[in-house]
Amino acid sequence: MPGLAPRSQDRHPFHVTNLQLHQTHDPGFLLSSWERLARAAGLRSKVLTRLGGEKILFLESPGTASPVYLSSGIHGDEVAAAWGLLAWAEENQKRLSQGRFLIFPCMNPHGFRQNTRTDYRGLDINRRFHLARDPLTGPWRRLIRQSPPSLGLCLHEDYDSQGCYVYELGGQDARLASRCLAASASHLPTDPRKQIDGRRARHGIIHRKTIPQNLTGIPEAVALWQLGCATTLTFETPSEAGFQERVQAHARFIAEALS
Ligand SMILES: [Zn+2]
């Protein structure tokens, strides 16, 4: 089977080394790629915890400065986000070596393998980030408290979206989210709806300066913000679009956010 390497460097400038189509739901391939990249870029590869027989890996730059936080793979049926993050990282090893990053490539390896939103317990992890005693989000909260990130990018996909959109929480740079969406629009259009997920949207951006009421649980981005991260962007691509375009949109989004 041919790999997913781009036919045209212009059209698909980001790609993951040796990724084959049948491996897009293989957390083992994803995490071994990250471990190899971490060694090359001088990042520390650490195990947050072990759950359901699987390690929850994260990567961390040495140093004490406030990190940039990057995460994907919370929902296992949103795999292009995880490969987009890896594709961006493979193109930006020098950046990874020189900056300070905290990266969670896949918090839900069971769901990633099974193509399910929920984790090995049948739970939606992204409604549990307020729980200090949860075996996953408890250790995560302790880690974030030690050194709150300056910027958080949480990468997701949405099966019924009509294009790419962003939840922005906090936000010191009012134009950051729109710049990032403009970059991703070179591969996938921006969601035109004025209401997304029951919330008011403008040009694909759902902006919040306060924590939304009526949440059924606390998502990662909100917990990051509560724990001191000034700006979080949650990026969503339409999961019914083509895989390669979704990967490119995520990588473009990250590249612009960190430019
Ligand atoms: Zn998601």
Side-chain angles (χ1 to χ4, degrees), residues 74-75 77-78 117 126 155-158 236:
I74 282 182
H75 295 138
D77 54 348
E78 302 172 5
R117 180 177 177 88
N126 214 25
L155 306 173
H156 287 258
E157 300 201 88
D158 182 345
E236 305 264 0

mmCIF file with all atom_site columns, all heavy atoms in Angstrom, residues 74-75 77-78 117 126 155-158 236, ligand 1:
data_model
loop_
_atom_site.group_PDB
_atom_site.id
_atom_site.type_symbol
_atom_site.label_atom_id
_atom_site.label_alt_id
_atom_site.label_comp_id
_atom_site.label_asym_id
_atom_site.label_entity_id
_atom_site.label_seq_id
_atom_site.pdbx_PDB_ins_code
_atom_site.Cartn_x
_atom_site.Cartn_y
_atom_site.Cartn_z
_atom_site.occupancy
_atom_site.B_iso_or_equiv
_atom_site.pdbx_formal_charge
_atom_site.auth_seq_id
_atom_site.auth_comp_id
_atom_site.auth_asym_id
_atom_site.auth_atom_id
_atom_site.pdbx_PDB_model_num
ATOM   1  N  N   . ILE A 1 74  ? -7.506  12.867 22.472 1.00 0.00 ? 74  ILE A N   1
ATOM   2  C  CA  . ILE A 1 74  ? -8.404  12.666 23.623 1.00 0.00 ? 74  ILE A CA  1
ATOM   3  C  C   . ILE A 1 74  ? -9.621  11.869 23.175 1.00 0.00 ? 74  ILE A C   1
ATOM   4  O  O   . ILE A 1 74  ? -10.120 11.007 23.897 1.00 0.00 ? 74  ILE A O   1
ATOM   5  C  CB  . ILE A 1 74  ? -8.806  14.022 24.224 1.00 0.00 ? 74  ILE A CB  1
ATOM   6  C  CG1 . ILE A 1 74  ? -7.651  14.556 25.066 1.00 0.00 ? 74  ILE A CG1 1
ATOM   7  C  CG2 . ILE A 1 74  ? -10.081 13.904 25.043 1.00 0.00 ? 74  ILE A CG2 1
ATOM   8  C  CD1 . ILE A 1 74  ? -7.957  15.863 25.751 1.00 0.00 ? 74  ILE A CD1 1
ATOM   9  N  N   . HIS A 1 75  ? -10.088 12.201 21.981 1.00 0.00 ? 75  HIS A N   1
ATOM   10 C  CA  . HIS A 1 75  ? -11.195 11.442 21.370 1.00 0.00 ? 75  HIS A CA  1
ATOM   11 C  C   . HIS A 1 75  ? -10.610 10.552 20.272 1.00 0.00 ? 75  HIS A C   1
ATOM   12 O  O   . HIS A 1 75  ? -10.008 11.046 19.321 1.00 0.00 ? 75  HIS A O   1
ATOM   13 C  CB  . HIS A 1 75  ? -12.244 12.404 20.802 1.00 0.00 ? 75  HIS A CB  1
ATOM   14 C  CG  . HIS A 1 75  ? -12.924 13.208 21.861 1.00 0.00 ? 75  HIS A CG  1
ATOM   15 N  ND1 . HIS A 1 75  ? -13.198 14.553 21.741 1.00 0.00 ? 75  HIS A ND1 1
ATOM   16 C  CD2 . HIS A 1 75  ? -13.396 12.826 23.081 1.00 0.00 ? 75  HIS A CD2 1
ATOM   17 C  CE1 . HIS A 1 75  ? -13.819 14.975 22.845 1.00 0.00 ? 75  HIS A CE1 1
ATOM   18 N  NE2 . HIS A 1 75  ? -13.945 13.944 23.673 1.00 0.00 ? 75  HIS A NE2 1
ATOM   19 N  N   . ASP A 1 77  ? -11.812 8.891  17.861 1.00 0.00 ? 77  ASP A N   1
ATOM   20 C  CA  . ASP A 1 77  ? -12.371 8.925  16.505 1.00 0.00 ? 77  ASP A CA  1
ATOM   21 C  C   . ASP A 1 77  ? -12.018 10.227 15.787 1.00 0.00 ? 77  ASP A C   1
ATOM   22 O  O   . ASP A 1 77  ? -12.685 10.604 14.827 1.00 0.00 ? 77  ASP A O   1
ATOM   23 C  CB  . ASP A 1 77  ? -13.889 8.726  16.556 1.00 0.00 ? 77  ASP A CB  1
ATOM   24 C  CG  . ASP A 1 77  ? -14.595 9.714  17.481 1.00 0.00 ? 77  ASP A CG  1
ATOM   25 O  OD1 . ASP A 1 77  ? -13.898 10.404 18.257 1.00 0.00 ? 77  ASP A OD1 1
ATOM   26 O  OD2 . ASP A 1 77  ? -15.831 9.808  17.427 1.00 0.00 ? 77  ASP A OD2 1
ATOM   27 N  N   . GLU A 1 78  ? -10.953 10.906 16.278 1.00 0.00 ? 78  GLU A N   1
ATOM   28 C  CA  . GLU A 1 78  ? -10.546 12.185 15.686 1.00 0.00 ? 78  GLU A CA  1
ATOM   29 C  C   . GLU A 1 78  ? -9.053  12.121 15.365 1.00 0.00 ? 78  GLU A C   1
ATOM   30 O  O   . GLU A 1 78  ? -8.259  12.963 15.802 1.00 0.00 ? 78  GLU A O   1
ATOM   31 C  CB  . GLU A 1 78  ? -10.867 13.310 16.671 1.00 0.00 ? 78  GLU A CB  1
ATOM   32 C  CG  . GLU A 1 78  ? -12.357 13.354 17.036 1.00 0.00 ? 78  GLU A CG  1
ATOM   33 C  CD  . GLU A 1 78  ? -12.696 14.338 18.153 1.00 0.00 ? 78  GLU A CD  1
ATOM   34 O  OE1 . GLU A 1 78  ? -11.794 15.074 18.602 1.00 0.00 ? 78  GLU A OE1 1
ATOM   35 O  OE2 . GLU A 1 78  ? -13.868 14.349 18.577 1.00 0.00 ? 78  GLU A OE2 1
ATOM   36 N  N   . ARG A 1 117 ? -14.963 7.658  20.551 1.00 0.00 ? 117 ARG A N   1
ATOM   37 C  CA  . ARG A 1 117 ? -14.779 8.913  21.294 1.00 0.00 ? 117 ARG A CA  1
ATOM   38 C  C   . ARG A 1 117 ? -14.333 8.619  22.733 1.00 0.00 ? 117 ARG A C   1
ATOM   39 O  O   . ARG A 1 117 ? -13.503 9.313  23.294 1.00 0.00 ? 117 ARG A O   1
ATOM   40 C  CB  . ARG A 1 117 ? -16.107 9.683  21.281 1.00 0.00 ? 117 ARG A CB  1
ATOM   41 C  CG  . ARG A 1 117 ? -16.075 11.004 22.020 1.00 0.00 ? 117 ARG A CG  1
ATOM   42 C  CD  . ARG A 1 117 ? -17.416 11.714 21.886 1.00 0.00 ? 117 ARG A CD  1
ATOM   43 N  NE  . ARG A 1 117 ? -17.446 12.947 22.638 1.00 0.00 ? 117 ARG A NE  1
ATOM   44 C  CZ  . ARG A 1 117 ? -17.057 14.131 22.166 1.00 0.00 ? 117 ARG A CZ  1
ATOM   45 N  NH1 . ARG A 1 117 ? -16.596 14.226 20.946 1.00 0.00 ? 117 ARG A NH1 1
ATOM   46 N  NH2 . ARG A 1 117 ? -17.125 15.215 22.914 1.00 0.00 ? 117 ARG A NH2 1
ATOM   47 N  N   . ASN A 1 126 ? -12.849 14.214 27.913 1.00 0.00 ? 126 ASN A N   1
ATOM   48 C  CA  . ASN A 1 126 ? -12.913 15.675 27.820 1.00 0.00 ? 126 ASN A CA  1
ATOM   49 C  C   . ASN A 1 126 ? -14.082 16.291 28.581 1.00 0.00 ? 126 ASN A C   1
ATOM   50 O  O   . ASN A 1 126 ? -14.449 17.430 28.356 1.00 0.00 ? 126 ASN A O   1
ATOM   51 C  CB  . ASN A 1 126 ? -12.951 16.116 26.357 1.00 0.00 ? 126 ASN A CB  1
ATOM   52 C  CG  . ASN A 1 126 ? -12.221 17.431 26.155 1.00 0.00 ? 126 ASN A CG  1
ATOM   53 O  OD1 . ASN A 1 126 ? -11.326 17.772 26.934 1.00 0.00 ? 126 ASN A OD1 1
ATOM   54 N  ND2 . ASN A 1 126 ? -12.608 18.175 25.126 1.00 0.00 ? 126 ASN A ND2 1
ATOM   55 N  N   . LEU A 1 155 ? -6.378  19.892 20.034 1.00 0.00 ? 155 LEU A N   1
ATOM   56 C  CA  . LEU A 1 155 ? -6.704  19.560 18.645 1.00 0.00 ? 155 LEU A CA  1
ATOM   57 C  C   . LEU A 1 155 ? -7.760  18.467 18.581 1.00 0.00 ? 155 LEU A C   1
ATOM   58 O  O   . LEU A 1 155 ? -7.578  17.377 19.143 1.00 0.00 ? 155 LEU A O   1
ATOM   59 C  CB  . LEU A 1 155 ? -5.433  19.122 17.918 1.00 0.00 ? 155 LEU A CB  1
ATOM   60 C  CG  . LEU A 1 155 ? -4.285  20.146 18.015 1.00 0.00 ? 155 LEU A CG  1
ATOM   61 C  CD1 . LEU A 1 155 ? -3.002  19.569 17.427 1.00 0.00 ? 155 LEU A CD1 1
ATOM   62 C  CD2 . LEU A 1 155 ? -4.658  21.451 17.330 1.00 0.00 ? 155 LEU A CD2 1
ATOM   63 N  N   . HIS A 1 156 ? -8.846  18.777 17.877 1.00 0.00 ? 156 HIS A N   1
ATOM   64 C  CA  . HIS A 1 156 ? -9.998  17.870 17.815 1.00 0.00 ? 156 HIS A CA  1
ATOM   65 C  C   . HIS A 1 156 ? -10.565 17.815 16.407 1.00 0.00 ? 156 HIS A C   1
ATOM   66 O  O   . HIS A 1 156 ? -10.145 18.562 15.517 1.00 0.00 ? 156 HIS A O   1
ATOM   67 C  CB  . HIS A 1 156 ? -11.100 18.345 18.775 1.00 0.00 ? 156 HIS A CB  1
ATOM   68 C  CG  . HIS A 1 156 ? -10.774 18.117 20.209 1.00 0.00 ? 156 HIS A CG  1
ATOM   69 N  ND1 . HIS A 1 156 ? -11.307 17.078 20.942 1.00 0.00 ? 156 HIS A ND1 1
ATOM   70 C  CD2 . HIS A 1 156 ? -9.946  18.784 21.048 1.00 0.00 ? 156 HIS A CD2 1
ATOM   71 C  CE1 . HIS A 1 156 ? -10.835 17.123 22.177 1.00 0.00 ? 156 HIS A CE1 1
ATOM   72 N  NE2 . HIS A 1 156 ? -10.009 18.144 22.273 1.00 0.00 ? 156 HIS A NE2 1
ATOM   73 N  N   . GLU A 1 157 ? -11.594 16.945 16.259 1.00 0.00 ? 157 GLU A N   1
ATOM   74 C  CA  . GLU A 1 157 ? -12.363 16.904 15.013 1.00 0.00 ? 157 GLU A CA  1
ATOM   75 C  C   . GLU A 1 157 ? -13.843 16.786 15.379 1.00 0.00 ? 157 GLU A C   1
ATOM   76 O  O   . GLU A 1 157 ? -14.198 16.337 16.479 1.00 0.00 ? 157 GLU A O   1
ATOM   77 C  CB  . GLU A 1 157 ? -11.935 15.716 14.156 1.00 0.00 ? 157 GLU A CB  1
ATOM   78 C  CG  . GLU A 1 157 ? -10.455 15.766 13.785 1.00 0.00 ? 157 GLU A CG  1
ATOM   79 C  CD  . GLU A 1 157 ? -10.159 14.928 12.570 1.00 0.00 ? 157 GLU A CD  1
ATOM   80 O  OE1 . GLU A 1 157 ? -10.273 15.453 11.455 1.00 0.00 ? 157 GLU A OE1 1
ATOM   81 O  OE2 . GLU A 1 157 ? -9.823  13.734 12.734 1.00 0.00 ? 157 GLU A OE2 1
ATOM   82 N  N   . ASP A 1 158 ? -14.684 17.154 14.421 1.00 0.00 ? 158 ASP A N   1
ATOM   83 C  CA  . ASP A 1 158 ? -16.133 17.171 14.665 1.00 0.00 ? 158 ASP A CA  1
ATOM   84 C  C   . ASP A 1 158 ? -16.815 16.531 13.460 1.00 0.00 ? 158 ASP A C   1
ATOM   85 O  O   . ASP A 1 158 ? -16.633 16.993 12.330 1.00 0.00 ? 158 ASP A O   1
ATOM   86 C  CB  . ASP A 1 158 ? -16.571 18.635 14.845 1.00 0.00 ? 158 ASP A CB  1
ATOM   87 C  CG  . ASP A 1 158 ? -18.054 18.767 15.157 1.00 0.00 ? 158 ASP A CG  1
ATOM   88 O  OD1 . ASP A 1 158 ? -18.804 17.782 14.956 1.00 0.00 ? 158 ASP A OD1 1
ATOM   89 O  OD2 . ASP A 1 158 ? -18.478 19.860 15.566 1.00 0.00 ? 158 ASP A OD2 1
ATOM   90 N  N   . GLU A 1 236 ? -11.013 22.509 15.633 1.00 0.00 ? 236 GLU A N   1
ATOM   91 C  CA  . GLU A 1 236 ? -11.836 21.382 15.165 1.00 0.00 ? 236 GLU A CA  1
ATOM   92 C  C   . GLU A 1 236 ? -11.820 21.331 13.642 1.00 0.00 ? 236 GLU A C   1
ATOM   93 O  O   . GLU A 1 236 ? -12.101 22.339 12.992 1.00 0.00 ? 236 GLU A O   1
ATOM   94 C  CB  . GLU A 1 236 ? -13.289 21.558 15.633 1.00 0.00 ? 236 GLU A CB  1
ATOM   95 C  CG  . GLU A 1 236 ? -13.463 21.753 17.133 1.00 0.00 ? 236 GLU A CG  1
ATOM   96 C  CD  . GLU A 1 236 ? -13.789 20.459 17.873 1.00 0.00 ? 236 GLU A CD  1
ATOM   97 O  OE1 . GLU A 1 236 ? -13.881 19.397 17.214 1.00 0.00 ? 236 GLU A OE1 1
ATOM   98 O  OE2 . GLU A 1 236 ? -13.934 20.519 19.105 1.00 0.00 ? 236 GLU A OE2 1
HETATM 99 ZN ZN  . ZN  B 2 .   ? -12.880 15.896 20.222 1.00 0.00 ? 1   ZN  B ZN  1
#
